PDB file of all heavy atoms in Angstrom:
ATOM      1  N   GLU Q   1      59.433  97.281  60.557  1.00  0.00           N
ATOM      2  CA  GLU Q   1      60.757  97.803  60.834  1.00  0.00           C
ATOM      3  C   GLU Q   1      61.654  97.570  59.624  1.00  0.00           C
ATOM      4  O   GLU Q   1      61.476  96.646  58.849  1.00  0.00           O
ATOM      5  CB  GLU Q   1      61.347  97.091  62.047  1.00  0.00           C
ATOM      6  CG  GLU Q   1      60.537  97.314  63.337  1.00  0.00           C
ATOM      7  CD  GLU Q   1      60.540  98.746  63.787  1.00  0.00           C
ATOM      8  OE1 GLU Q   1      61.507  99.468  63.433  1.00  0.00           O
ATOM      9  OE2 GLU Q   1      59.615  99.173  64.479  1.00  0.00           O
ATOM     10  N   ASP Q   2      62.644  98.463  59.514  1.00  0.00           N
ATOM     11  CA  ASP Q   2      63.547  98.379  58.368  1.00  0.00           C
ATOM     12  C   ASP Q   2      64.357  97.107  58.358  1.00  0.00           C
ATOM     13  O   ASP Q   2      64.839  96.659  57.304  1.00  0.00           O
ATOM     14  CB  ASP Q   2      64.471  99.589  58.324  1.00  0.00           C
ATOM     15  CG  ASP Q   2      63.703 100.871  58.055  1.00  0.00           C
ATOM     16  OD1 ASP Q   2      62.597 100.796  57.472  1.00  0.00           O
ATOM     17  OD2 ASP Q   2      64.224 101.957  58.400  1.00  0.00           O
ATOM     18  N   ASN Q   3      64.558  96.495  59.526  1.00  0.00           N
ATOM     19  CA  ASN Q   3      65.398  95.307  59.586  1.00  0.00           C
ATOM     20  C   ASN Q   3      64.603  94.022  59.485  1.00  0.00           C
ATOM     21  O   ASN Q   3      65.140  92.947  59.709  1.00  0.00           O
ATOM     22  CB  ASN Q   3      66.198  95.315  60.926  1.00  0.00           C
ATOM     23  CG  ASN Q   3      65.291  95.323  62.128  1.00  0.00           C
ATOM     24  OD1 ASN Q   3      64.066  95.412  62.008  1.00  0.00           O
ATOM     25  ND2 ASN Q   3      65.900  95.243  63.321  1.00  0.00           N
ATOM     26  N   ALA Q   4      63.288  94.120  59.143  1.00  0.00           N
ATOM     27  CA  ALA Q   4      62.499  92.917  58.959  1.00  0.00           C
ATOM     28  C   ALA Q   4      63.022  92.137  57.758  1.00  0.00           C
ATOM     29  O   ALA Q   4      63.360  92.715  56.718  1.00  0.00           O
ATOM     30  CB  ALA Q   4      61.040  93.267  58.763  1.00  0.00           C
ATOM     31  N   SER Q   5      63.058  90.819  57.884  1.00  0.00           N
ATOM     32  CA  SER Q   5      63.569  89.983  56.778  1.00  0.00           C
ATOM     33  C   SER Q   5      62.895  88.658  56.803  1.00  0.00           C
ATOM     34  O   SER Q   5      62.360  88.195  57.819  1.00  0.00           O
ATOM     35  CB  SER Q   5      65.081  89.829  56.923  1.00  0.00           C
ATOM     36  OG  SER Q   5      65.412  89.135  58.134  1.00  0.00           O
ATOM     37  N   ALA Q   6      62.860  87.989  55.646  1.00  0.00           N
ATOM     38  CA  ALA Q   6      62.297  86.663  55.499  1.00  0.00           C
ATOM     39  C   ALA Q   6      63.411  85.631  55.530  1.00  0.00           C
ATOM     40  O   ALA Q   6      64.528  85.889  55.085  1.00  0.00           O
ATOM     41  CB  ALA Q   6      61.505  86.556  54.194  1.00  0.00           C
ATOM     42  N   ARG Q   7      63.091  84.497  56.086  1.00  0.00           N
ATOM     43  CA  ARG Q   7      64.121  83.437  56.191  1.00  0.00           C
ATOM     44  C   ARG Q   7      63.629  82.188  55.502  1.00  0.00           C
ATOM     45  O   ARG Q   7      62.489  81.744  55.727  1.00  0.00           O
ATOM     46  CB  ARG Q   7      64.419  83.160  57.658  1.00  0.00           C
ATOM     47  CG  ARG Q   7      65.489  82.068  57.873  1.00  0.00           C
ATOM     48  CD  ARG Q   7      65.913  82.043  59.318  1.00  0.00           C
ATOM     49  NE  ARG Q   7      64.813  81.705  60.211  1.00  0.00           N
ATOM     50  CZ  ARG Q   7      64.511  80.444  60.571  1.00  0.00           C
ATOM     51  NH1 ARG Q   7      65.242  79.417  60.106  1.00  0.00           N
ATOM     52  NH2 ARG Q   7      63.505  80.221  61.390  1.00  0.00           N
ATOM     53  N   CYS Q   8      64.450  81.616  54.638  1.00  0.00           N
ATOM     54  CA  CYS Q   8      64.068  80.374  53.948  1.00  0.00           C
ATOM     55  C   CYS Q   8      64.175  79.209  54.921  1.00  0.00           C
ATOM     56  O   CYS Q   8      65.201  79.011  55.560  1.00  0.00           O
ATOM     57  CB  CYS Q   8      65.016  80.164  52.761  1.00  0.00           C
ATOM     58  SG  CYS Q   8      64.697  78.640  51.831  1.00  0.00           S
ATOM     59  N   ARG Q   9      63.114  78.454  55.025  1.00  0.00           N
ATOM     60  CA  ARG Q   9      63.052  77.333  55.938  1.00  0.00           C
ATOM     61  C   ARG Q   9      63.565  76.036  55.324  1.00  0.00           C
ATOM     62  O   ARG Q   9      64.205  75.225  55.981  1.00  0.00           O
ATOM     63  CB  ARG Q   9      61.624  77.108  56.431  1.00  0.00           C
ATOM     64  CG  ARG Q   9      61.034  78.291  57.196  1.00  0.00           C
ATOM     65  CD  ARG Q   9      61.687  78.427  58.540  1.00  0.00           C
ATOM     66  NE  ARG Q   9      61.461  77.248  59.366  1.00  0.00           N
ATOM     67  CZ  ARG Q   9      60.383  77.043  60.129  1.00  0.00           C
ATOM     68  NH1 ARG Q   9      59.443  77.942  60.149  1.00  0.00           N
ATOM     69  NH2 ARG Q   9      60.254  75.966  60.848  1.00  0.00           N
ATOM     70  N   ARG Q  10      63.291  75.870  54.032  1.00  0.00           N
ATOM     71  CA  ARG Q  10      63.661  74.609  53.363  1.00  0.00           C
ATOM     72  C   ARG Q  10      63.647  74.838  51.854  1.00  0.00           C
ATOM     73  O   ARG Q  10      62.854  75.631  51.337  1.00  0.00           O
ATOM     74  CB  ARG Q  10      62.712  73.495  53.752  1.00  0.00           C
ATOM     75  CG  ARG Q  10      63.096  72.122  53.258  1.00  0.00           C
ATOM     76  CD  ARG Q  10      62.265  71.069  53.952  1.00  0.00           C
ATOM     77  NE  ARG Q  10      62.562  71.037  55.368  1.00  0.00           N
ATOM     78  CZ  ARG Q  10      61.750  70.499  56.289  1.00  0.00           C
ATOM     79  NH1 ARG Q  10      60.610  69.998  55.928  1.00  0.00           N
ATOM     80  NH2 ARG Q  10      62.094  70.501  57.555  1.00  0.00           N
ATOM     81  N   VAL Q  11      64.533  74.159  51.134  1.00  0.00           N
ATOM     82  CA  VAL Q  11      64.632  74.281  49.691  1.00  0.00           C
ATOM     83  C   VAL Q  11      64.356  72.915  49.061  1.00  0.00           C
ATOM     84  O   VAL Q  11      64.994  71.915  49.408  1.00  0.00           O
ATOM     85  CB  VAL Q  11      66.013  74.790  49.228  1.00  0.00           C
ATOM     86  CG1 VAL Q  11      66.086  74.813  47.698  1.00  0.00           C
ATOM     87  CG2 VAL Q  11      66.279  76.156  49.798  1.00  0.00           C
ATOM     88  N   TYR Q  12      63.374  72.880  48.129  1.00  0.00           N
ATOM     89  CA  TYR Q  12      63.099  71.664  47.376  1.00  0.00           C
ATOM     90  C   TYR Q  12      63.602  71.952  45.954  1.00  0.00           C
ATOM     91  O   TYR Q  12      62.904  72.585  45.154  1.00  0.00           O
ATOM     92  CB  TYR Q  12      61.582  71.397  47.363  1.00  0.00           C
ATOM     93  CG  TYR Q  12      60.967  71.258  48.756  1.00  0.00           C
ATOM     94  CD1 TYR Q  12      60.583  72.405  49.463  1.00  0.00           C
ATOM     95  CD2 TYR Q  12      60.796  70.024  49.345  1.00  0.00           C
ATOM     96  CE1 TYR Q  12      60.005  72.317  50.705  1.00  0.00           C
ATOM     97  CE2 TYR Q  12      60.231  69.921  50.618  1.00  0.00           C
ATOM     98  CZ  TYR Q  12      59.842  71.089  51.289  1.00  0.00           C
ATOM     99  OH  TYR Q  12      59.274  70.989  52.532  1.00  0.00           O
ATOM    100  N   ALA Q  13      64.767  71.462  45.675  1.00  0.00           N
ATOM    101  CA  ALA Q  13      65.453  71.927  44.446  1.00  0.00           C
ATOM    102  C   ALA Q  13      65.680  70.812  43.409  1.00  0.00           C
ATOM    103  O   ALA Q  13      65.618  69.608  43.726  1.00  0.00           O
ATOM    104  CB  ALA Q  13      66.814  72.534  44.846  1.00  0.00           C
ATOM    105  N   HIS Q  14      65.915  71.261  42.205  1.00  0.00           N
ATOM    106  CA  HIS Q  14      66.433  70.438  41.091  1.00  0.00           C
ATOM    107  C   HIS Q  14      65.508  69.306  40.725  1.00  0.00           C
ATOM    108  O   HIS Q  14      65.949  68.217  40.357  1.00  0.00           O
ATOM    109  CB  HIS Q  14      67.823  69.885  41.418  1.00  0.00           C
ATOM    110  CG  HIS Q  14      68.787  70.913  41.897  1.00  0.00           C
ATOM    111  ND1 HIS Q  14      69.142  72.000  41.141  1.00  0.00           N
ATOM    112  CD2 HIS Q  14      69.460  71.031  43.077  1.00  0.00           C
ATOM    113  CE1 HIS Q  14      69.995  72.752  41.821  1.00  0.00           C
ATOM    114  NE2 HIS Q  14      70.219  72.180  43.004  1.00  0.00           N
ATOM    115  N   ALA Q  15      64.187  69.529  40.772  1.00  0.00           N
ATOM    116  CA  ALA Q  15      63.248  68.488  40.381  1.00  0.00           C
ATOM    117  C   ALA Q  15      62.536  68.808  39.066  1.00  0.00           C
ATOM    118  O   ALA Q  15      61.929  67.919  38.500  1.00  0.00           O
ATOM    119  CB  ALA Q  15      62.198  68.262  41.469  1.00  0.00           C
ATOM    120  N   HIS Q  16      62.657  70.041  38.592  1.00  0.00           N
ATOM    121  CA  HIS Q  16      61.964  70.456  37.396  1.00  0.00           C
ATOM    122  C   HIS Q  16      62.955  70.964  36.364  1.00  0.00           C
ATOM    123  O   HIS Q  16      63.902  71.689  36.670  1.00  0.00           O
ATOM    124  CB  HIS Q  16      60.957  71.552  37.726  1.00  0.00           C
ATOM    125  CG  HIS Q  16      59.784  71.072  38.503  1.00  0.00           C
ATOM    126  ND1 HIS Q  16      58.672  70.499  37.912  1.00  0.00           N
ATOM    127  CD2 HIS Q  16      59.523  71.076  39.832  1.00  0.00           C
ATOM    128  CE1 HIS Q  16      57.779  70.176  38.841  1.00  0.00           C
ATOM    129  NE2 HIS Q  16      58.280  70.522  40.017  1.00  0.00           N
ATOM    130  N   ASP Q  17      62.656  70.630  35.110  1.00  0.00           N
ATOM    131  CA  ASP Q  17      63.468  71.098  33.988  1.00  0.00           C
ATOM    132  C   ASP Q  17      62.927  72.411  33.424  1.00  0.00           C
ATOM    133  O   ASP Q  17      63.657  73.113  32.699  1.00  0.00           O
ATOM    134  CB  ASP Q  17      63.494  70.060  32.878  1.00  0.00           C
ATOM    135  CG  ASP Q  17      64.221  68.810  33.309  1.00  0.00           C
ATOM    136  OD1 ASP Q  17      65.160  68.897  34.127  1.00  0.00           O
ATOM    137  OD2 ASP Q  17      63.801  67.703  32.867  1.00  0.00           O
ATOM    138  N   PHE Q  18      61.698  72.743  33.744  1.00  0.00           N
ATOM    139  CA  PHE Q  18      61.077  73.975  33.222  1.00  0.00           C
ATOM    140  C   PHE Q  18      60.504  74.762  34.394  1.00  0.00           C
ATOM    141  O   PHE Q  18      60.437  74.273  35.506  1.00  0.00           O
ATOM    142  CB  PHE Q  18      59.973  73.631  32.222  1.00  0.00           C
ATOM    143  CG  PHE Q  18      60.454  72.750  31.085  1.00  0.00           C
ATOM    144  CD1 PHE Q  18      60.183  71.395  31.092  1.00  0.00           C
ATOM    145  CD2 PHE Q  18      61.155  73.266  30.028  1.00  0.00           C
ATOM    146  CE1 PHE Q  18      60.622  70.566  30.071  1.00  0.00           C
ATOM    147  CE2 PHE Q  18      61.609  72.476  28.993  1.00  0.00           C
ATOM    148  CZ  PHE Q  18      61.352  71.121  29.016  1.00  0.00           C
ATOM    149  N   ASN Q  19      60.095  75.995  34.098  1.00  0.00           N
ATOM    150  CA  ASN Q  19      59.548  76.856  35.141  1.00  0.00           C
ATOM    151  C   ASN Q  19      58.303  76.240  35.802  1.00  0.00           C
ATOM    152  O   ASN Q  19      57.437  75.731  35.114  1.00  0.00           O
ATOM    153  CB  ASN Q  19      59.177  78.209  34.584  1.00  0.00           C
ATOM    154  CG  ASN Q  19      60.402  79.032  34.149  1.00  0.00           C
ATOM    155  OD1 ASN Q  19      61.509  78.750  34.636  1.00  0.00           O
ATOM    156  ND2 ASN Q  19      60.216  79.994  33.279  1.00  0.00           N
ATOM    157  N   ILE Q  20      58.255  76.317  37.102  1.00  0.00           N
ATOM    158  CA  ILE Q  20      57.093  75.793  37.846  1.00  0.00           C
ATOM    159  C   ILE Q  20      55.925  76.733  37.682  1.00  0.00           C
ATOM    160  O   ILE Q  20      56.040  77.951  37.902  1.00  0.00           O
ATOM    161  CB  ILE Q  20      57.460  75.648  39.338  1.00  0.00           C
ATOM    162  CG1 ILE Q  20      58.572  74.592  39.509  1.00  0.00           C
ATOM    163  CG2 ILE Q  20      56.210  75.241  40.156  1.00  0.00           C
ATOM    164  CD1 ILE Q  20      59.105  74.490  40.932  1.00  0.00           C
ATOM    165  N   ASN Q  21      54.768  76.220  37.292  1.00  0.00           N
ATOM    166  CA  ASN Q  21      53.578  77.049  37.109  1.00  0.00           C
ATOM    167  C   ASN Q  21      52.536  76.871  38.190  1.00  0.00           C
ATOM    168  O   ASN Q  21      51.622  77.671  38.311  1.00  0.00           O
ATOM    169  CB  ASN Q  21      52.961  76.791  35.732  1.00  0.00           C
ATOM    170  CG  ASN Q  21      52.591  75.325  35.500  1.00  0.00           C
ATOM    171  OD1 ASN Q  21      51.957  74.696  36.360  1.00  0.00           O
ATOM    172  ND2 ASN Q  21      52.947  74.812  34.340  1.00  0.00           N
ATOM    173  N   SER Q  22      52.641  75.818  39.009  1.00  0.00           N
ATOM    174  CA  SER Q  22      51.650  75.547  40.051  1.00  0.00           C
ATOM    175  C   SER Q  22      52.272  74.853  41.254  1.00  0.00           C
ATOM    176  O   SER Q  22      53.127  73.985  41.097  1.00  0.00           O
ATOM    177  CB  SER Q  22      50.503  74.685  39.510  1.00  0.00           C
ATOM    178  OG  SER Q  22      49.855  75.282  38.418  1.00  0.00           O
ATOM    179  N   ILE Q  23      51.794  75.212  42.434  1.00  0.00           N
ATOM    180  CA  ILE Q  23      52.093  74.524  43.678  1.00  0.00           C
ATOM    181  C   ILE Q  23      50.790  74.406  44.445  1.00  0.00           C
ATOM    182  O   ILE Q  23      50.030  75.388  44.578  1.00  0.00           O
ATOM    183  CB  ILE Q  23      53.156  75.280  44.504  1.00  0.00           C
ATOM    184  CG1 ILE Q  23      54.513  75.244  43.795  1.00  0.00           C
ATOM    185  CG2 ILE Q  23      53.280  74.631  45.901  1.00  0.00           C
ATOM    186  CD1 ILE Q  23      55.590  76.035  44.516  1.00  0.00           C
ATOM    187  N   SER Q  24      50.479  73.228  44.990  1.00  0.00           N
ATOM    188  CA  SER Q  24      49.217  73.033  45.698  1.00  0.00           C
ATOM    189  C   SER Q  24      49.429  72.081  46.870  1.00  0.00           C
ATOM    190  O   SER Q  24      49.970  71.005  46.704  1.00  0.00           O
ATOM    191  CB  SER Q  24      48.146  72.466  44.758  1.00  0.00           C
ATOM    192  OG  SER Q  24      46.933  72.225  45.426  1.00  0.00           O
ATOM    193  N   ASN Q  25      49.009  72.521  48.052  1.00  0.00           N
ATOM    194  CA  ASN Q  25      49.081  71.673  49.242  1.00  0.00           C
ATOM    195  C   ASN Q  25      47.955  70.634  49.254  1.00  0.00           C
ATOM    196  O   ASN Q  25      46.839  70.907  48.780  1.00  0.00           O
ATOM    197  CB  ASN Q  25      48.953  72.522  50.518  1.00  0.00           C
ATOM    198  CG  ASN Q  25      50.226  73.334  50.753  1.00  0.00           C
ATOM    199  OD1 ASN Q  25      51.324  72.840  50.550  1.00  0.00           O
ATOM    200  ND2 ASN Q  25      50.056  74.568  51.215  1.00  0.00           N
ATOM    201  N   ASN Q  26      48.269  69.486  49.802  1.00  0.00           N
ATOM    202  CA  ASN Q  26      47.306  68.410  49.925  1.00  0.00           C
ATOM    203  C   ASN Q  26      46.480  68.571  51.202  1.00  0.00           C
ATOM    204  O   ASN Q  26      46.981  69.130  52.213  1.00  0.00           O
ATOM    205  CB  ASN Q  26      48.009  67.053  49.905  1.00  0.00           C
ATOM    206  CG  ASN Q  26      47.050  65.931  49.573  1.00  0.00           C
ATOM    207  OD1 ASN Q  26      45.831  66.059  49.649  1.00  0.00           O
ATOM    208  ND2 ASN Q  26      47.602  64.792  49.192  1.00  0.00           N
ATOM    209  N   SER Q  27      45.277  68.060  51.194  1.00  0.00           N
ATOM    210  CA  SER Q  27      44.431  68.141  52.392  1.00  0.00           C
ATOM    211  C   SER Q  27      44.937  67.272  53.525  1.00  0.00           C
ATOM    212  O   SER Q  27      44.491  67.434  54.663  1.00  0.00           O
ATOM    213  CB  SER Q  27      43.002  67.729  52.052  1.00  0.00           C
ATOM    214  OG  SER Q  27      42.941  66.433  51.539  1.00  0.00           O
ATOM    215  N   ASP Q  28      45.879  66.336  53.253  1.00  0.00           N
ATOM    216  CA  ASP Q  28      46.419  65.487  54.322  1.00  0.00           C
ATOM    217  C   ASP Q  28      47.440  66.242  55.188  1.00  0.00           C
ATOM    218  O   ASP Q  28      47.852  65.747  56.227  1.00  0.00           O
ATOM    219  CB  ASP Q  28      47.053  64.222  53.738  1.00  0.00           C
ATOM    220  CG  ASP Q  28      48.221  64.509  52.795  1.00  0.00           C
ATOM    221  OD1 ASP Q  28      48.684  65.646  52.728  1.00  0.00           O
ATOM    222  OD2 ASP Q  28      48.696  63.562  52.121  1.00  0.00           O
ATOM    223  N   GLY Q  29      47.830  67.444  54.751  1.00  0.00           N
ATOM    224  CA  GLY Q  29      48.753  68.235  55.524  1.00  0.00           C
ATOM    225  C   GLY Q  29      50.175  67.726  55.522  1.00  0.00           C
ATOM    226  O   GLY Q  29      51.044  68.251  56.224  1.00  0.00           O
ATOM    227  N   GLU Q  30      50.482  66.725  54.684  1.00  0.00           N
ATOM    228  CA  GLU Q  30      51.807  66.138  54.663  1.00  0.00           C
ATOM    229  C   GLU Q  30      52.508  66.245  53.312  1.00  0.00           C
ATOM    230  O   GLU Q  30      53.720  66.161  53.250  1.00  0.00           O
ATOM    231  CB  GLU Q  30      51.706  64.641  55.053  1.00  0.00           C
ATOM    232  CG  GLU Q  30      51.172  64.403  56.470  1.00  0.00           C
ATOM    233  CD  GLU Q  30      51.070  62.914  56.777  1.00  0.00           C
ATOM    234  OE1 GLU Q  30      51.323  62.092  55.859  1.00  0.00           O
ATOM    235  OE2 GLU Q  30      50.719  62.574  57.926  1.00  0.00           O
ATOM    236  N   THR Q  31      51.732  66.399  52.234  1.00  0.00           N
ATOM    237  CA  THR Q  31      52.316  66.394  50.892  1.00  0.00           C
ATOM    238  C   THR Q  31      51.812  67.603  50.108  1.00  0.00           C
ATOM    239  O   THR Q  31      50.869  68.287  50.495  1.00  0.00           O
ATOM    240  CB  THR Q  31      51.946  65.105  50.156  1.00  0.00           C
ATOM    241  OG1 THR Q  31      50.517  64.996  50.078  1.00  0.00           O
ATOM    242  CG2 THR Q  31      52.517  63.872  50.847  1.00  0.00           C
ATOM    243  N   TYR Q  32      52.475  67.843  48.987  1.00  0.00           N
ATOM    244  CA  TYR Q  32      52.055  68.882  48.058  1.00  0.00           C
ATOM    245  C   TYR Q  32      52.563  68.506  46.674  1.00  0.00           C
ATOM    246  O   TYR Q  32      53.397  67.608  46.528  1.00  0.00           O
ATOM    247  CB  TYR Q  32      52.594  70.278  48.482  1.00  0.00           C
ATOM    248  CG  TYR Q  32      54.069  70.500  48.232  1.00  0.00           C
ATOM    249  CD1 TYR Q  32      54.527  71.100  47.075  1.00  0.00           C
ATOM    250  CD2 TYR Q  32      55.006  70.142  49.204  1.00  0.00           C
ATOM    251  CE1 TYR Q  32      55.861  71.339  46.836  1.00  0.00           C
ATOM    252  CE2 TYR Q  32      56.367  70.367  48.983  1.00  0.00           C
ATOM    253  CZ  TYR Q  32      56.772  70.968  47.816  1.00  0.00           C
ATOM    254  OH  TYR Q  32      58.130  71.164  47.598  1.00  0.00           O
ATOM    255  N   ILE Q  33      52.011  69.147  45.645  1.00  0.00           N
ATOM    256  CA  ILE Q  33      52.452  68.912  44.288  1.00  0.00           C
ATOM    257  C   ILE Q  33      53.071  70.194  43.709  1.00  0.00           C
ATOM    258  O   ILE Q  33      52.730  71.305  44.098  1.00  0.00           O
ATOM    259  CB  ILE Q  33      51.310  68.451  43.353  1.00  0.00           C
ATOM    260  CG1 ILE Q  33      50.151  69.464  43.396  1.00  0.00           C
ATOM    261  CG2 ILE Q  33      50.857  67.036  43.687  1.00  0.00           C
ATOM    262  CD1 ILE Q  33      49.086  69.180  42.347  1.00  0.00           C
TER     263      ILE Q  33
END
């Protein structure tokens, strides 16, 4: 539908000084890098 939209659930901000090149979830289901 034309009114479909994405919603941001959470923002993890201001931790990097340069562009992020990788994100990977951990197998513990609780953390990521």
Side-chain angles (χ1 to χ4, degrees):
E1 298 295 335
D2 293 337
N3 59 356
S5 62
R7 181 169 62 90
C8 179
R9 299 290 298 274
R10 187 167 295 160
V11 176
Y12 304 84
H14 309 302
H16 289 276
D17 295 327
F18 305 101
N19 291 339
I20 296 173
N21 57 47
S22 301
I23 294 177
S24 178
N25 287 321
N26 199 342
S27 59
D28 61 11
E30 299 178 355
T31 58
Y32 74 94
I33 56 171

